[in-house]
Amino acid sequence: MKQPSATVADQAAIAEAAAILEQGGLVAFPTETVYGLGADAENPAAVARIYEAKGRPHDHPVIVHLAPGADLDYWTTDVPDAARQLVQAFWPGPLTLILKRHPRIPDAVSAGQDSVGMRCPSHPVAIALLQAFKGGKGGLAAPSANKFGNVSPTTAQHVRDEFGMDAHDDGALNGDDACSAAELSRVLEGGSSEVGIESTIVDMSRLATHGPVLLRPGHISAQQIAEVIGMLPAAPDQAAPRASGTLESHYAPRTPVTMLAADGFAATLSQLHAKGVKVALIGHDLPAALTASAHAHCMLPADPAGYAYGLYAALRDMDQTGAGLILVETPPQDGAWLGVNDRLRRSVFGSAGVIASLLQK
Ligand code: TXA
Ligand code: MG
C-alpha cells in the first residue's frame, strides 16, 4: 500500500516533480491563488499536453511562472519601469503581468500573441518546485488545473476530482497503476489555496499607447496597483489581449447557478420548494431559518478575502449535492468585492431565466 499524501509536499516529492517536468511531463502544483497544471514553458510539446489535458482551445495563452529573483528579461522585452515597480511591490504574490514576449520564448505559451503573462507565486511549494526545476532558471507554463470552463481547484483533491485520479495516483511515477488522466503524472500537495481566486492580471505590454489595463480582477486591487505606479489600470478595451478567464461563461459548476439579493430570497425559495426543486444555497448573511430549509447550504464569511477563499470549494460542494439549482446570495458590490463578483458573474452566465423555467414546470 502506498502512503496517504502528506498535507504539504516534501523535498523528495518536489525533486521528483521537477524531474517529471524536465522530461516534458505535467505536474499539478499548489499556488496561493488556485492549483496550476504545470509544464516546461520552453518545451512546446509539453505545453501542448496542457491544452490536451484541459481540453482548452489552442488560442488561449497560458501564464509562465518564475522562481523569486528569476531573470524576467530572459522571457520578455521592453519591460517598462512601471512593470518593474509592480514586480518589486507584489512578487512573489497573486499578480500576473502581461509583457512583450522575448523572441526566444516559444509561440505555444502565448498562443501566437506577441505578449506573455508572467507571474511569481508565493506558495512555498510552488517556490520550492520552481527553484528545483532547471535549477531555478526555468519557467513553468501553468493554467489553473481544471478542465476548460470548470471551477478552478483550490485543493489537491479538487485537481484529482477534475482529472479522475485516485489519491494513490500521486505515487504512480512508473505508470503501473496509471490514472485515467494519463497526461498528468503528479499532484503536489499544498493545502487549501490561501487567496482562492485566480491572480489579478494587468496588461503592461501596451503601456505607452493604452496605459495599464486590468484584464482580470483579483486579490490585488486596481487601487493597490495605482498606489505603486501612479496610474489606475483601466477596464479592457476591444484591442486588449485575450484572456480565457475573461470569457463570459467560465468557473461554472454543472448545476445551474444563479444570484439573488437577500430580500427576494425567502419568497423565491418557498416557491421553488413548492415545485419540488432541490435548492443549494451559498450565502454570507442569510438567516439560519432560511438555510435550514434548503436542500444544502454553505455560508461564507462576509468579508471579500474570506469569501474568495471559500468560494470555489463552496461551488464544488454544492454541485455535488444533487440540487437542481445553486442559489447565491448576491455579495456586496463595492470595489473590494470586484474579484468575487467577476467570478460569480461568469459562473451564472447562461443560467438567466433558470428560476422562471423551474417555476413553470
Ligand atoms: O492565479 C493564477 O493566475 C493561476 C495560477 C495557477 O497561477 N493561473 C491561471 O491560469 O489562472 P489560467 O490559464 O487559468 O488563466 C490565465 C489567464 C487566461 O485568461 C489567459 O487567457 C490569460 O491569463 N493570459 C495568459 N497569457 C496572456 C497574454 N499573453 N495575454 C493576455 N492574456 C493572457
Ligand atoms: Mg483557468
Side-chain angles (χ1 to χ4, degrees):
M1 274 238 340
K2 293 193 171 112
Q3 295 295 311
S5 312
T7 308
V8 172
D10 59 18
Q11 270 308 324
I14 286 164
E16 276 179 29
I20 293 170
L21 290 163
E22 285 166 10
Q23 289 157 24
L26 300 185
V27 170
F29 63 96
T31 84
E32 72 281 19
T33 57
V34 300
Y35 277 62
L37 181 59
D40 181 352
E42 294 178 275
N43 179 341
V47 174
R49 269 179 214 121
I50 294 180
Y51 286 83
E52 216 171 292
K54 275 184 69 94
R56 179 174 174 137
H58 287 271
D59 60 350
H60 291 282
V62 291
I63 295 171
V64 177
H65 298 66
L66 301 181
D71 182 11
L72 188 59
D73 296 298
Y74 177 82
W75 300 89
T76 58
T77 60
D78 307 326
V79 178
D81 287 344
R84 291 191 201 278
Q85 288 166 0
L86 292 176
V87 165
Q88 193 66 33
F90 297 114
W91 283 9
L95 176 68
T96 296
L97 298 175
I98 307 297
L99 296 164
K100 289 218 167 73
R101 175 167 58 99
H102 195 286
R104 75 160 73 85
I105 302 310
D107 228 38
V109 289
S110 47
Q113 301 193 51
D114 60 1
S115 59
V116 60
M118 303 298 306
R119 155 159 148 75
C120 173
S122 64
H123 192 294
V125 172
I127 291 180
L129 179 65
L130 287 160
Q131 284 170 340
F133 173 67
K134 293 184 170 177
K137 294 195 176 358
L140 289 179
S144 50
N146 52 279
K147 293 286 171 94
F148 182 70
N150 286 1
V151 179
S152 300
T154 52
T155 68
Q157 187 57 47
H158 292 167
V159 179
R160 291 190 285 263
D161 292 347
E162 279 290 311
F163 293 95
M165 301 165 79
D166 295 331
H168 69 261
D169 285 332
D170 280 8
L173 227 200
N174 301 319
D176 52 329
D177 53 356
C179 55
S180 56
E183 296 284 355
L184 175 57
S185 313
R186 186 64 60 100
V187 183
L188 287 177
E189 288 282 347
S192 294
S193 295
E194 205 181 324
V195 173
I197 58 173
E198 302 78 0
S199 60
T200 305
I201 304 182
V202 181
D203 178 22
M204 299 294 281
S205 70
R206 305 171 307 152
L207 195 64
T209 49
H210 293 74
V213 176
L214 185 67
L215 297 184
R216 182 171 72 184
H219 182 69
I220 294 175
S221 68
Q223 283 69 25
Q224 283 174 284
I225 288 163
E227 278 163 26
V228 174
I229 60 174
M231 293 175 271
L232 187 67
D237 55 275
Q238 280 291 312
R242 295 182 303 268
S244 73
T246 61
L247 287 179
E248 286 305 320
S249 174
H250 215 80
Y251 316 121
R254 285 175 194 82
T255 315
V257 188
T258 195
M259 282 198 278
L260 206 58
D263 53 4
F265 234 91
T268 305
L269 195 59
S270 62
Q271 284 174 319
L272 287 163
H273 284 159
K275 288 279 182 183
V277 180
K278 291 180 181 165
V279 182
L281 303 182
I282 298 177
H284 56 279
D285 194 26
L286 295 172
L290 217 116
T291 55
S293 74
H295 175 65
H297 71 272
C298 179
M299 290 300 282
L300 294 172
D303 70 277
Y307 193 104
Y309 171 77
L311 175 61
Y312 286 159
L315 284 169
R316 278 175 188 272
D317 288 351
M318 294 301 102
D319 202 17
Q320 313 249 308
T321 60
L325 176 69
I326 301 173
L327 204 51
V328 182
E329 177 190 7
T330 308
Q333 296 298 303
D334 54 276
W337 289 82
L338 193 63
V340 159
N341 282 302
D342 171 80
R343 303 313 189 277
L344 278 172
R345 195 166 56 75
R346 296 176 208 288
S347 299
V348 309
F349 188 81
S351 299
V354 66
I355 293 181
S357 76
L358 286 168
L359 291 176
Q360 263 165 23
K361 280 187 186 152

